[in-house]
Amino acid sequence: MIVLVINAGSSSVKFTCFEMISDPKVLANGLIERIGLDGTLMKYSNHKGDEAKREVTVKNAEEGVKIIAQKLVDSKIGVLKSLTEVKAIGHRVVSGGEYFSDPVVVDARVKEFIDKCSVYAPLHNPHHLLGINACEATFPGVTNVAVFDTAFHIAGIQPHAYLYAIPYELYTEQKIRRYGAHGTSHDYVSRKAAELLGKPRQNVRAIVCHLGNGASISAVAGGKCQDTSMGLTPLEGVIMGTRSGDIDPAIVWTVMKLKNLSPVEADNFFNKKSGMLALAGIGSSDLRDIEAEHKKGNKQCTQALETYAYRIKKYIGSYLAALGGADIVAFTAGIGENSATMRALILKGLDDLGIKLDAAKNSERSGEARFISTNNSPIKIAVIPTDEEQEIAKQTLALAIVK
Ligand code: AMP
């Protein structure tokens, strides 16, 4: 049984092709990046170790999906005999608003709702729709499933945690509220955290730190999300690669006036030109570069790392209060899984709260889910690799089989 997972963005289409055995196997994955720009690049690799990387002419998502389909059945590096082997296609969709608390089989009405939710994810949802349309055209008759980044949060978070203190009709009429994002990852990692603890998920309180280029923290109890750091859009919360995270809202209109920015330019400023890119000042938002500069003695980079860690520490503290304690703090995604330095910086000084890091375990390199807390730490600390694609594939297959 083959399931394809598609993540269509503004200028890229990423894909993973799974064979859905008990532990789903990646047959091929890759992406087409810089769509519609000069130097559009296609990267493809398969489970046999074959790789292809070449410039392609791709004007839009539909052309991108066609090229991916061609590669999947290519006589040399393909992994399928025919596209009809694809049972279903799962699409990552950033926002499902309040409409979707579960994945859903895509039809015309679902597409309408995804379109409506573009107001909450203007940089993402329109491109997801293009990806869905492209798959419908390229894989006729195949079930498309939308898996929403917001669903896990929508299903769990209660009004006291999702309402903003602005006129209530903005919630009732315009649905302005906290939606969060990275829900598929928070769901997956909190489930794995319970497995690692060897406890039923129902009895576990977890604080999940998804720290990638985009980053969010969530408080999960009994398998339900209680709170999360991203808000109406992915801009709120901890500091990210290029997003400011939490700021005094007055900064927005102050900067707009100072720099003479339109709302669209301001959106771009706080989403693309802020965060670690702005704080570290080395022209890169990649934590590896910032850590390397810090090691060379760049004080602004040191300060940026400390600011980043401090903000996350505050979220962990607030979620400990929100959950009335925790069983586990789990780190995931690019930074959470790979940066022992950042994990140590975040967790420094939390021993008295019952969160005790084991420095040696923290430094070990491993791609496996594992504890990095001391044996006597009342609250366990873990590194748990996330796998959003696999989770999307599993949820997609479950719906496709029912259909
Ligand atoms: P993601 O969005 O989850 O793919 O995470 C991407 C980010 O993870 C990159 O921008 C890097 O900042 C960070 N990252 C990946 N590997 C490392 C590493 N070994 N050390 C520090 N940061 C890393």
Side-chain angles (χ1 to χ4, degrees):
M1 198 89 84
I2 303 295
V3 170
L4 191 59
V5 173
I6 295 282
N7 183 353
S10 57
S11 63
S12 70
V13 178
K14 296 183 187 142
F15 75 95
T16 311
C17 178
F18 286 97
E19 183 182 2
M20 300 304 289
I21 40 186
S22 63
D23 198 9
K25 177 178 170 188
V26 175
L27 295 183
N29 60 10
L31 81 166
I32 299 186
E33 59 189 5
R34 294 182 58 82
I35 291 177
L37 303 169
D38 286 345
T40 307
L41 206 59
M42 192 258 334
K43 293 178 191 163
Y44 172 100
S45 58
N46 68 22
H47 65 111
K48 295 173 231 158
D50 302 317
E51 291 192 355
K53 183 175 167 182
R54 65 176 170 88
E55 276 203 23
V56 286
T57 312
V58 175
K59 287 202 287 293
N60 52 40
E62 183 163 352
E63 291 181 6
V65 168
K66 278 209 176 94
I67 292 194
I68 290 167
Q70 279 165 13
K71 285 291 146 215
L72 289 174
V73 291
D74 185 272
S75 57
K76 290 203 185 93
I77 58 172
V79 289
L80 306 177
K81 287 198 183 76
S82 154
L83 291 183
T84 56
E85 285 177 57
V86 176
K87 168 80 184 165
I89 304 171
H91 296 265
R92 178 197 176 214
V93 178
V94 165
S95 181
E98 275 195 340
Y99 302 113
F100 302 105
S101 53
D102 286 300
V104 63
V105 172
V106 176
D107 60 16
R109 205 162 151 269
V110 167
K111 286 205 268 183
E112 249 174 60
F113 284 122
I114 294 175
D115 188 32
K116 273 192 190 169
C117 293
S118 292
V119 283
Y120 314 123
L123 305 177
H124 297 93
N125 271 30
H127 303 287
H128 301 324
L129 272 177
L130 292 176
I132 290 170
N133 289 336
C135 286
E136 285 175 344
T138 311
F139 299 84
V142 174
T143 305
N144 285 277
V145 171
V147 180
F148 299 94
D149 262 18
T150 42
F152 180 59
H153 304 310
I154 292 299
I157 301 180
Q158 296 300 305
H160 66 267
Y162 71 62
L163 285 176
Y164 290 109
I166 54 176
Y168 194 56
E169 62 269 20
L170 282 170
Y171 169 61
T172 52
E173 290 167 17
Q174 311 296 333
K175 298 292 173 199
I176 292 190
R177 54 161 283 176
R178 176 179 311 287
Y179 289 100
H182 297 139
T184 308
S185 174
H186 287 288
D187 186 11
Y188 175 85
V189 172
S190 54
R191 181 155 32 83
K192 289 276 164 198
E195 283 171 25
L196 201 60
L197 288 169
K199 287 186 181 177
R201 200 177 181 192
Q202 203 50 38
N203 302 342
V204 171
R205 292 168 300 178
I207 297 173
V208 177
C209 302
H210 176 112
L211 308 178
N213 195 27
S216 61
I217 319 289
S218 69
V220 182
K224 291 214 174 288
C225 187
Q226 310 296 318
D227 204 350
T228 193
S229 60
M230 284 179 167
L232 174 75
T233 74
L235 185 53
E236 192 181 342
V238 295
I239 298 167
M240 299 171 228
T242 61
R243 295 190 190 117
S244 64
D246 298 336
I247 50 171
D248 179 347
I251 293 172
V252 176
W253 49 89
T254 304
V255 170
M256 285 174 80
K257 271 193 235 155
L258 282 173
K259 294 189 166 278
N260 198 20
L261 301 181
S262 68
V264 171
E265 288 166 335
D267 190 67
N268 192 48
F269 182 88
F270 290 104
N271 271 295
K272 300 262 175 77
K273 298 195 173 142
S274 301
M276 292 303 271
L277 174 72
L279 265 185
I282 55 164
S284 169
S285 61
D286 193 310
L287 207 81
R288 285 165 288 204
D289 300 334
I290 299 167
E291 285 183 355
E293 280 299 309
H294 148 72
K295 282 188 189 130
K296 284 190 221 154
N298 182 324
K299 290 204 170 60
Q300 194 179 333
C301 285
T302 306
Q303 191 174 272
L305 294 173
E306 284 171 354
T307 310
Y308 181 93
Y310 177 70
R311 190 76 66 83
I312 294 166
K313 190 196 295 273
K314 284 210 294 185
Y315 265 99
I316 293 174
S318 68
Y319 285 170
L320 268 180
L323 294 174
D327 301 291
I328 188 162
V329 176
F331 287 89
T332 194
I335 295 167
E337 289 167 33
N338 297 304
S339 178
T341 309
M342 183 47 72
R343 290 192 300 258
L345 209 52
I346 293 167
L347 297 169
K348 197 169 146 202
L350 296 186
D351 289 42
D352 284 355
L353 293 181
I355 303 174
K356 301 182 182 186
L357 183 70
D358 183 313
K361 289 183 197 162
N362 184 41
S363 303
E364 276 166 22
R365 293 209 150 265
S366 158
E368 300 293 314
R370 67 194 193 278
F371 289 120
I372 54 168
S373 42
T374 60
N375 292 339
N376 67 353
S377 180
I379 299 173
K380 301 294 174 209
I381 311 165
V383 174
I384 300 180
T386 193
D387 197 337
E388 287 162 291
E389 280 76 20
Q390 189 189 114
E391 188 63 16
I392 291 173
K394 282 183 177 168
Q395 296 186 10
T396 298
L397 184 64
L399 274 187
I401 285 173
V402 171
K403 194 190 170 231

